[in-house]
């Protein structure tokens, strides 16, 4: 992500808090929801680590080495998300669970793409004082744009679900646990949009 280091630290804080919230969700959720929350927690903490500006200064790894580590990590999460999405068809939890796992898969694949874009970006994009997520114009513009549209739509859709319903201010059709899950997805979707916008 190209820009002031402050932006990177803010992204790190947002994603780390989101990951922590997902960890807390795993303690209260049933088995299927626990697996989803655990996957989102790993995604949150991995996104937080990827946004740390200090990791892109050349120590302890060169920027392309750091990018390769994150590409492998998010590649593994992509495979795990795809396997969960395939298994969700037979676990009795319906289309919603499968859709959420597919969303996790898209998110992990997008982060893998961002890491790969960083690995192939110009070394000038890793100058001190920048967060290092690629030089401006890194990556494929059409793919970056498509991912940005997808995650922006996801953020808007999730945000609408969190709007108060009526005068009592209750979350639309959501129990407190479901509202927390939606808030976590909203935060991570916002973070993903920010990373894509700074490509």
């Amino acid at each position: 992500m190209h820009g002031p280091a402050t932006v990177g630290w803010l992204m790190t804080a947002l994603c780390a808090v989101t990951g922590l919230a997902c960890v807390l969700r795993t303690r209260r959720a049933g088995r299927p929801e626990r697996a989803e929350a655990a996957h989102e927690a790993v995604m949150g903490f991995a996104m937080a680590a990827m946004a740390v500006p200090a990791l892109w200064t050349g120590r302890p790894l060169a920027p392309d080495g750091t990018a390769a580590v994150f590409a492998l990590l998010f590649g593994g999460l992509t495979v795990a998300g795809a396997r969960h999405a395939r298994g969700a068809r037979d676990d009795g939890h319906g289309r919603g669970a499968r859709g959420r796992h597919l969303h996790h898969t898209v998110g992990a694949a997008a982060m893998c793409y961002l890491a790969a874009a960083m690995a192939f970006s110009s070394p000038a994009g890793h100058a001190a004082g920048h967060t290092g997520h690629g030089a401006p114009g890194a990556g494929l513009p059409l793919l970056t744009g498509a991912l940005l549209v997808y995650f922006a739509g996801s953020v808007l859709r999730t945000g609408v679900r969190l709007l108060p319903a009526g005068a009592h201010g209750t979350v639309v059709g959501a129990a407190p646990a479901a509202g927390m899950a939606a808030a976590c997805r909203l935060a991570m979707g916002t973070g993903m949009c920010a990373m894509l916008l700074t490509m």
Side-chain angles (χ1 to χ4, degrees):
M1 195 162 61
H2 188 271
T6 304
V7 175
W9 288 117
L10 288 173
M11 284 292 305
T12 298
L14 172 67
C15 295
V17 169
T18 302
L20 180 59
C22 291
V23 169
L24 295 177
R25 282 171 49 212
T26 63
R27 302 179 61 184
R28 304 174 183 174
R31 184 175 179 180
E33 293 80 10
R34 189 180 300 124
E36 291 179 21
H39 187 100
E40 290 171 359
V42 174
M43 271 290 290
F45 288 130
M47 288 174 67
M50 191 168 170
V52 174
L55 291 180
W56 304 99
T57 60
R59 299 186 185 93
L61 292 175
D64 55 352
T66 302
V69 169
F70 282 112
L72 288 173
L73 171 62
F74 286 110
L77 287 174
T78 301
V79 173
R83 291 181 63 186
H84 281 114
R86 185 177 60 181
R89 291 178 297 181
D90 302 317
D91 65 3
H93 296 284
R95 185 176 179 180
R98 184 165 63 252
R100 288 191 295 274
H101 284 303
L102 287 172
H103 177 72
H104 296 160
T105 303
V106 173
M111 292 303 295
C112 187
Y113 161 68
L114 287 171
M118 285 185 275
F120 291 104
S121 64
S122 168
H126 304 110
H130 292 72
T131 56
H133 284 192
L140 304 173
L142 285 177
L143 180 54
T144 301
L147 289 171
L148 184 57
V149 168
Y150 172 81
F151 285 105
S154 175
V155 166
L156 291 173
R157 185 172 61 252
T158 304
V160 167
R161 292 176 182 171
L162 289 172
L163 290 175
H168 298 291
T170 56
V171 175
V172 176
M180 176 62 76
C184 289
R185 294 178 190 122
L186 178 66
M188 283 197 288
T190 302
M192 190 71 73
C193 287
M195 290 183 178
L196 289 166
L197 282 170
T198 53
M199 286 285 287

